[in-house]
Amino acid sequence: MSDYFDLIIIGAGPAGLSAAYAAAQEGLTYLVIEKGTIADTIRQYPVGRTLFSTPNELEMHEGSLRPVRDKPTREELLSHYVHFVLDNNLNINTGEEVIGADRLEADGFVVRTDRGEYQAARILFAIGAMAHPRRLNIPGENLPKVHHRFVEPYPYVRKDALVVGGGNSAAEAALFLSEEGARTTMAIWREDWENRDPKAGAMKHWVRSPLEREIAEGRLRVILYKQIDEITEPGVSLTTEAGESLTIPNDVLFVLVGSDADLTLLKKLGVQTTPGKLTEVPVYDPETFETNVGGIYVVGHFTNARHIKAAIDVPRRIVPLIAQSLRAAV
């Protein structure tokens, strides 16, 4: 027999944690199901990385995140989220993956995981947008030297490293590799390199400034490219923006061109999607964040409210609405 909850929350990132806290405040029975660890996306950031956002944009309660410097590191933020869970005794199952969900004939939903199944009156998806790293889809991309996530530079000291991408993640990886002794090349589109508009995804100035210093001092090479053509064990072949064919000697390649959420489960439940600014997003009511399928809600980075602050703030606005709808249905 399935356990029954008012609300099942899928995902234990900032949005899922905020939703769990709001559900507890509303007196709802709830469960958070997370296939990885608490704040798993943050855990996958590079070791020692300083976050771009200030504490007031990341903290679960005002004044509760107190980093050593102006902005927290990956480790400080992870500790903040973990202790938020512990201090509030939030009901979270980690290391458990949701593998299916269906609407019940009577009312509510059944959620199936690799451990069992649960019933819920409402489901809130807070799954983030890191499930599927984008790929170049070119020959050689499956070679062991190709990575779609950057963790740390230290294995690549005195190695030939190539970073492909134009956002902050790619810029940070190129900077860390160059600073720590890798022979680093960054391949980037001209429009990304020349972009200075933060609202249009430009790399942050505190990343660009040291990056440009590495270039000026001859430790980092930047290639404005048109396309990456082929990856082989000894090198990477690309076409420059001028149309020149170039093969770069290479020991390790980081393809950091963004990622997408896994919308498979939502689509199977009948949730409609639409093209967003960067990727496909679910269709939902902008006030309640309820999808076209009644009782299914979405929140966090894979919606149009992409920033962590919005991911924290939105659940505290919509979970009381969910509680109100549940009370009205009794």
Side-chain angles (χ1 to χ4, degrees):
M1 188 169 179
S2 304
D3 293 329
Y4 184 87
F5 298 93
D6 294 322
L7 178 65
I8 282 182
I9 301 159
I10 302 175
L17 301 185
S18 181
Y21 179 79
Q25 295 298 107
E26 290 291 328
L28 300 181
T29 57
Y30 73 92
L31 173 66
V32 181
I33 305 174
E34 166 59 56
K35 67 180 179 180
T37 60
I38 294 166
D40 202 62
T41 296
I42 305 297
R43 192 175 64 84
Q44 293 182 47
Y45 286 173
V47 174
R49 172 183 173 180
T50 298
L51 277 292
F52 299 128
S53 302
T54 51
N56 66 304
E57 297 174 307
L58 302 167
E59 61 195 358
M60 300 306 290
H61 288 306
E62 185 177 353
S64 59
L65 176 56
R66 302 181 184 91
V68 173
R69 297 187 175 88
D70 290 343
K71 296 179 179 181
T73 63
R74 162 191 179 269
E75 288 72 21
E76 287 174 320
L77 189 57
L78 272 175
S79 179
H80 174 70
Y81 291 142
V82 166
H83 283 279
F84 179 77
V85 171
L86 297 175
D87 293 345
N88 292 285
N89 196 27
L90 299 182
N91 189 24
I92 299 176
N93 288 359
T94 57
E96 181 171 4
E97 184 173 5
V98 176
I99 57 176
D102 292 292
R103 183 182 284 281
L104 295 169
E105 284 187 15
D107 190 27
F109 304 88
V110 59
V111 176
R112 296 183 302 280
T113 76
D114 53 5
R115 293 188 196 172
E117 66 177 37
Y118 311 92
Q119 291 185 19
R122 305 287 188 268
I123 304 176
L124 176 63
F125 283 81
I127 56 177
M130 300 289 286
H132 298 307
R134 295 175 195 152
R135 300 175 64 87
L136 299 174
N137 296 316
I138 61 171
E141 194 167 2
N142 291 325
L143 287 172
K145 72 172 185 177
V146 181
H147 305 275
H148 296 85
R149 183 168 73 92
F150 176 76
V151 177
E152 60 178 355
Y154 303 108
Y156 313 109
V157 176
R158 293 181 174 172
K159 302 287 187 182
D160 291 310
L162 174 63
V163 179
V164 176
N168 284 302
S169 295
E172 276 192 324
L175 176 62
F176 292 167
L177 286 161
S178 179
E179 287 180 333
E180 300 302 329
R183 295 184 293 269
T184 308
T185 301
M186 182 179 184
I188 183 172
W189 288 335
R190 177 177 291 277
E191 55 263 41
D192 289 332
W193 180 248
E194 295 182 347
N195 181 14
R196 295 295 195 277
D197 182 1
K199 294 181 180 179
M203 65 179 75
K204 305 296 185 182
H205 68 86
W206 54 85
V207 178
R208 180 182 285 274
S209 295
L211 195 73
E212 291 178 337
R213 185 169 59 249
E214 290 294 302
I215 295 168
E217 295 179 0
R219 290 189 292 270
L220 174 63
R221 178 188 184 192
V222 170
I223 294 176
L224 302 178
Y225 81 104
K226 181 180 178 182
Q227 65 183 35
I228 309 296
D229 299 310
E230 184 181 15
I231 305 163
T232 62
E233 284 291 357
V236 177
S237 299
L238 58 80
T239 302
T240 69
E241 67 163 9
E244 175 189 1
S245 294
L246 188 65
T247 298
I248 303 170
N250 179 251
D251 297 308
V252 61
L253 170 62
F254 294 96
V255 178
L256 305 175
V257 292
S259 60
D260 299 302
D262 185 353
L263 302 180
T264 305
L265 191 54
L266 278 164
K267 289 179 177 179
K268 285 183 178 178
L269 283 163
V271 173
Q272 297 171 357
T273 62
T274 187
K277 277 187 177 181
L278 300 173
T279 185
E280 190 178 16
V281 296
V283 174
Y284 59 90
D285 184 297
E287 295 301 318
T288 65
F289 282 66
E290 187 173 20
T291 67
N292 61 288
V293 178
I296 296 180
Y297 299 77
V298 292
V299 69
H301 195 64
F302 77 113
T303 70
N304 290 315
R306 295 177 60 83
H307 195 275
I308 291 182
K309 182 169 177 54
I312 294 170
D313 289 345
V314 169
R316 295 178 183 180
R317 190 175 80 238
I318 68 167
V319 170
L321 299 179
I322 295 172
Q324 184 178 334
S325 74
L326 288 169
R327 287 191 285 267
V330 175

